[in-house]
Amino acid sequence: MPVALGLAIYWGKNFTYEQLFLKVSTDLAVSHDAFNRIQGDYLNHLTSLAESHQFRTALESGNQSSVFEQVKALKDKQNFSFLKVISTENDQQNILKSRRNSSSLLNALKGHESVGVEIYSPEELQAEDPELQKRVELPILQTPRARPSNRTQEQRAMVIRALYPVKDSRGEVVALLDGGVLLNGNFQFVDAIRDLAYGPNSLPKGSIGTVTVFIDDVRISTNVPLNEGERALGTRVSNEVRTKVLDNGSTWIDRAFVVNDWYVSSYEPIVDVDGKRVGMLYAGFLEKPFRDELWNALLALVLMFLALMLVSAWAAIRGARRIFKPIEKMSNVVHATQEGSAKRVGLITSKDELGTLSREFDDMLDQLQLRNQEIQEWADSLEDKVESRTAELKQKNQDLENSIQLLRQTRQQLVVAEKLAALGELTAGVAHEINNPTAVMLGNLDLMVVELGDNAKPVQKEIDLVIDQIYRIKDIINRLLQYAHPDEYSGYINMIDVNLLIKDTLKLVNHLNQGKSIEFKMDFEATQLIEINSQELQQVLVNLLVNAIHALDRDDAQITLASRNWKDKGVVISVTDNGKGIDKEHLAQIFNPFFSTKEQGEGTGLGLSISYGLVRRFGGNITAESELGEGSTFSVWLLSEPQIMEDEEAIAEQLSIIEEATI
């Protein structure tokens, strides 16, 4: 019960302050909304005047006296501290020099209305109205818990400034309405917000709700009392609040020392039109009435608990006298049983529940002793059988697992070896059967051209076409050999900048852009160097670019080449087109040898397969993403430090992928 009392006190205190902090947070939200709404109201007043027929007629006709009277009437009615009409017929530079320059003024000159908080220096406020500067001057008072400062007077002004551009029928800005409301000493402003946040009966008797506007950490408009009937103007906020709100830009929802007492407080930074933190908006209420009520409630709770504890103790002692002796006997029997002794409770003369329980307890111990003897006999015989059968099962399972593992390894080795042998035999046979005839054909064609001389000119185009096709055959054979034996074509590896290599590669395929008007976009952000064979990587990029160009058949054809750092592993190069895309059924097969989505005779189906093998040999990878009708993206993932893979491993990996795709 003392623990429960402590928890109740702890929970009650925390819950109470959580509710107070929740309320003050809501109060700050109400004050924030009211602050913004009041700013919007002032801008709406300017809008109503600027868009009125009477004002526009007077402005367009040049009736300055009528314009002045309407502006003065609005200024007096809506309590503007200053309100002026600025003609834009003058040079904008002169306007910027004559008025306080800010982002709001620049936006207004561009035709955009705006309203927000601005801080005026003494000189800027003097230029608006000398009387306003006298109202602003405020001595700074020494305040407990405030940050040390040598400042003795606050002369700056916080102003809600509203700017509305007046446009002619052509939409050009012909004049500006520039109005401001001074917040320094503006008690009507803070009292209106306080009345919204702290209406009647919103606080207990003795507590007061307060709202304050700060420039930096100095109170320039507040209803926090300093003395009886005196507002705490010129006092400063505590250093803890200033650090969190002004320095760090956070919101304060907590207790805070305000001038001369503790308040449940909320602060938020005030940001001017240029995005700078220039002051704070505060809402809070006196903590003492809530604290007194809390401690009174906790004191009543403590007294109730003490009374309850006394009654409970009296009832517990009285009841313990009736049950203590039987319970003590049963407790002794339990301890003896735990130690292995066969002790019993014995005769209990009581006829109540405890007497019945003690007799049943003795009977239960007798039965348990009998059952334990029987179980022990069965356990001795069963244990030997279990151990024997378990050993046999373990041995058989181990033998079976070894056999299965051996069969799997043997099958994988046989499949890979058979496919590698078949691929090598196929490429060697094709090279032998085709390279020799093509060499003879090229030799004879050269001889024919020499023998015919000028007589060969009429069919020179056809001869060149035949020679090109023969070289195409040789290129296909070389790619096939390169796929089967890439180690014979590999060169030295060195450190390269992928961005430069991409640019060089693009030059190799520029001739394919003729007649298509393809737009190439570059987006290079990779900064890491990679170690790889540059010729092999260039071959991969050429293949991807050629495929992307062939996939484009639209007027707004576009290819994007991008590079990014791959965390700290290396770089990733992506080739993206907005072409016809790849069917999902084909996407899983595009890296297989001899697979092609092009028309017959337009591709060999070896380009992507060879590219995949080249990249995998350096520990990288190629991935593809595509949507039919929207385009494709091929990404080449390259390590800064390559992890060289043996050629047999790379080919076996491709064959296993092909096998999985066909299952």
Side-chain angles (χ1 to χ4, degrees):
M1 292 181 73
V3 170
L5 175 61
L7 291 175
I9 294 174
Y10 176 78
W11 175 84
K13 178 177 177 296
N14 287 349
F15 179 78
T16 301
Y17 273 93
E18 285 175 3
Q19 297 304 307
L20 293 178
F21 295 153
L22 181 61
K23 171 175 173 47
V24 80
S25 177
T26 304
D27 298 339
L28 181 63
V30 172
S31 302
H32 175 86
D33 292 342
F35 189 70
N36 290 338
R37 179 180 56 77
I38 291 173
Q39 295 181 51
D41 290 343
Y42 284 118
L43 181 60
N44 291 335
H45 296 323
L46 295 188
T47 304
S48 299
L49 175 63
E51 299 300 331
S52 67
H53 176 73
Q54 182 181 1
F55 180 82
R56 282 188 167 275
T57 301
L59 185 65
E60 292 173 359
S61 63
N63 189 347
Q64 298 296 326
S65 61
S66 177
V67 171
F68 177 78
E69 289 176 0
Q70 294 181 55
V71 169
K72 186 176 185 304
L74 178 63
K75 175 177 178 293
D76 296 338
K77 180 179 180 181
Q78 301 301 337
N79 296 322
F80 277 92
S81 301
F82 63 85
L83 179 58
K84 298 183 180 180
V85 179
I86 306 168
S87 174
T88 58
E89 294 179 356
N90 299 325
D91 184 17
Q92 288 192 4
Q93 293 299 325
N94 292 330
I95 296 176
L96 294 175
K97 291 179 180 178
S98 63
R99 309 297 298 162
R100 185 184 187 277
N101 194 354
S102 67
S103 59
S104 296
L105 181 58
L106 295 174
N107 288 333
L109 290 172
K110 295 178 182 178
H112 305 295
E113 61 186 52
S114 65
V115 64
V117 173
E118 297 189 26
I119 302 300
Y120 278 64
S121 66
E123 294 77 17
E124 292 170 338
L125 196 61
Q126 181 79 15
E128 293 290 351
D129 188 345
E131 293 298 324
L132 294 179
Q133 179 58 34
K134 297 178 181 178
R135 291 168 50 187
V136 166
E137 294 179 356
L138 179 69
I140 297 177
L141 305 180
Q142 292 294 329
T143 310
R145 297 178 177 266
R147 181 179 295 181
S149 174
N150 295 325
R151 296 179 60 205
T152 59
Q153 192 173 36
E154 180 59 71
Q155 295 180 317
R156 295 173 298 166
M158 178 178 287
V159 177
I160 295 178
R161 187 183 188 187
L163 289 156
Y164 188 85
V166 182
K167 302 178 182 178
D168 60 12
S169 58
R170 294 174 298 175
E172 296 182 357
V173 179
V174 296
L176 296 179
L177 281 177
D178 186 357
V181 178
L182 185 65
L183 296 183
N184 297 55
N186 193 335
F187 303 143
Q188 181 182 0
F189 178 79
V190 292
D191 290 348
I193 297 178
R194 179 199 61 191
D195 294 341
L196 284 174
Y198 301 104
N201 301 320
S202 63
L203 296 173
K205 184 178 180 180
S207 184
I208 57 172
T210 55
V211 174
T212 300
V213 175
F214 293 81
I215 284 185
D216 285 342
D217 62 348
V218 179
R219 291 178 176 85
I220 60 170
S221 184
T222 183
N223 39 51
V224 174
L226 178 61
N227 296 310
E228 185 69 26
E230 182 182 0
R231 299 181 185 239
L233 293 177
T235 58
R236 300 169 58 215
V237 78
S238 65
N239 184 45
E240 299 94 331
V241 175
R242 176 192 172 104
T243 300
K244 184 172 183 179
V245 180
L246 275 181
D247 297 346
N248 301 332
S250 302
T251 300
W252 175 283
I253 305 293
D254 204 341
R255 299 171 66 244
F257 190 81
V258 179
V259 182
N260 51 22
D261 208 339
W262 286 94
Y263 284 68
V264 179
S265 306
S266 59
Y267 295 80
E268 69 174 15
I270 296 177
V271 180
D272 68 2
V273 294
D274 296 319
K276 298 179 181 178
R277 293 192 291 271
V278 296
M280 293 180 290
L281 177 64
Y282 155 84
F285 47 87
L286 192 62
E287 178 193 18
K288 187 177 184 302
F290 292 94
R291 187 172 61 241
D292 292 343
E293 288 188 8
L294 172 63
W295 288 119
N296 290 336
L298 293 179
L299 178 60
L301 181 64
V302 170
L303 294 176
M304 290 173 58
F305 263 80
L306 290 175
L308 182 60
M309 288 177 63
L310 291 174
V311 173
S312 300
W314 175 78
I317 293 173
R318 184 173 180 180
R321 292 175 179 175
R322 297 181 57 189
I323 63 174
F324 180 75
K325 291 184 178 180
I327 292 296
E328 184 181 26
K329 288 186 176 181
M330 285 188 282
S331 176
N332 293 335
V333 171
V334 170
H335 287 297
T337 303
Q338 290 176 346
E339 295 173 357
S341 302
K343 189 175 181 180
R344 297 293 182 266
V345 176
L347 180 62
I348 296 293
T349 58
S350 175
K351 303 296 183 181
D352 56 10
E353 293 84 354
L354 285 175
T356 304
L357 177 62
S358 62
R359 288 188 291 272
E360 295 293 337
F361 191 66
D362 283 348
D363 293 340
M364 181 188 67
L365 290 176
D366 293 338
Q367 293 179 11
L368 283 176
Q369 186 176 5
L370 180 60
R371 297 294 184 271
N372 286 338
Q373 292 176 356
E374 295 176 353
I375 290 172
Q376 186 62 41
E377 293 175 358
W378 283 100
D380 293 341
S381 61
L382 183 60
E383 195 173 312
D384 296 337
K385 294 180 180 180
V386 170
E387 289 181 359
S388 175
R389 298 294 174 84
T390 301
E392 294 178 3
L393 286 175
K394 285 184 179 179
Q395 185 60 41
K396 290 181 179 180
N397 286 338
Q398 186 64 41
D399 294 343
L400 180 59
E401 187 176 343
N402 293 339
S403 299
I404 292 173
Q405 185 66 23
L406 181 61
L407 285 174
R408 285 179 180 170
Q409 294 175 356
T410 304
R411 177 179 176 276
Q412 291 174 356
Q413 292 172 359
L414 288 174
V415 170
V416 173
E418 183 178 354
K419 289 184 177 180
L420 289 174
L423 183 60
E425 184 178 353
L426 174 63
T427 54
V430 169
H432 178 74
E433 293 297 331
I434 297 180
N435 277 334
N436 289 339
T438 54
V440 173
M441 292 166 67
L442 285 173
N444 287 334
L445 281 172
D446 292 339
L447 181 60
M448 288 172 59
V449 171
V450 172
E451 291 295 331
L452 291 174
D454 294 338
N455 295 328
K457 290 183 178 179
V459 292
Q460 187 63 43
K461 183 177 180 181
E462 286 75 12
I463 292 173
D464 293 340
L465 181 60
V466 172
I467 292 174
D468 290 340
Q469 296 303 312
I470 292 174
Y471 276 113
R472 184 182 175 202
I473 293 172
K474 292 176 68 63
D475 185 60
I476 292 173
I477 296 305
N478 289 335
R479 289 188 182 185
L480 188 61
L481 288 172
Q482 185 174 357
Y483 174 73
H485 303 289
D487 55 322
E488 299 179 5
Y489 295 85
S490 61
Y492 294 103
I493 62 177
N494 51 1
M495 299 297 293
I496 65 170
D497 184 342
V498 295
N499 298 331
L500 297 177
L501 185 64
I502 296 172
K503 294 178 181 178
D504 294 340
T505 304
L506 188 59
K507 297 176 183 177
L508 300 178
V509 298
N510 274 339
H511 66 282
L512 299 177
N513 192 20
Q514 297 177 0
K516 286 195 173 185
S517 299
I518 300 174
E519 180 186 1
F520 288 90
K521 289 189 175 181
M522 310 295 176
D523 185 12
F524 300 151
E525 295 185 7
T527 58
Q528 300 189 48
L529 300 179
I530 63 168
E531 191 174 1
I532 199 172
N533 183 276
S534 58
Q535 288 77 18
E536 294 183 359
L537 178 56
Q538 192 171 60
Q539 177 183 350
V540 173
L541 296 177
V542 167
N543 183 271
L544 296 179
L545 284 169
V546 170
N547 288 347
I549 293 172
H550 289 167
L552 295 169
D553 56 357
R554 50 197 291 179
D555 295 335
D556 58 341
Q558 178 180 296
I559 295 178
T560 301
L561 295 168
S563 66
R564 299 284 188 274
N565 287 334
W566 179 16
K567 297 181 180 179
D568 57 351
K569 299 180 180 180
V571 299
V572 55
I573 304 171
S574 62
V575 180
T576 304
D577 64 76
N578 61 346
K580 53 191 175 183
I582 304 173
D583 196 325
K584 290 185 178 180
E585 296 180 358
H586 296 156
L587 194 61
Q589 307 177 53
I590 57 176
F591 295 109
N592 294 351
F594 305 108
F595 178 82
S596 176
T597 59
K598 299 177 182 177
E599 297 293 335
Q600 187 171 0
E602 295 184 2
T604 63
L606 290 173
L608 286 177
S609 180
I610 291 175
S611 299
Y612 181 84
L614 290 175
V615 174
R616 287 298 296 147
R617 203 150 54 83
F618 292 95
N621 194 15
I622 301 181
T623 58
E625 299 177 1
S626 182
E627 288 290 337
L628 199 60
E630 296 184 7
S632 306
T633 297
F634 284 81
S635 300
V636 182
W637 306 79
L638 302 169
L639 297 173
S640 296
E641 297 181 2
Q643 300 176 1
I644 304 299
M645 183 183 295
E646 296 296 332
D647 298 329
E648 292 80 359
E649 295 179 7
I651 295 175
E653 181 182 69
Q654 281 190 271
L655 291 175
S656 65
I657 294 174
I658 297 170
E659 183 182 56
E660 292 175 359
T662 56
I663 291 177

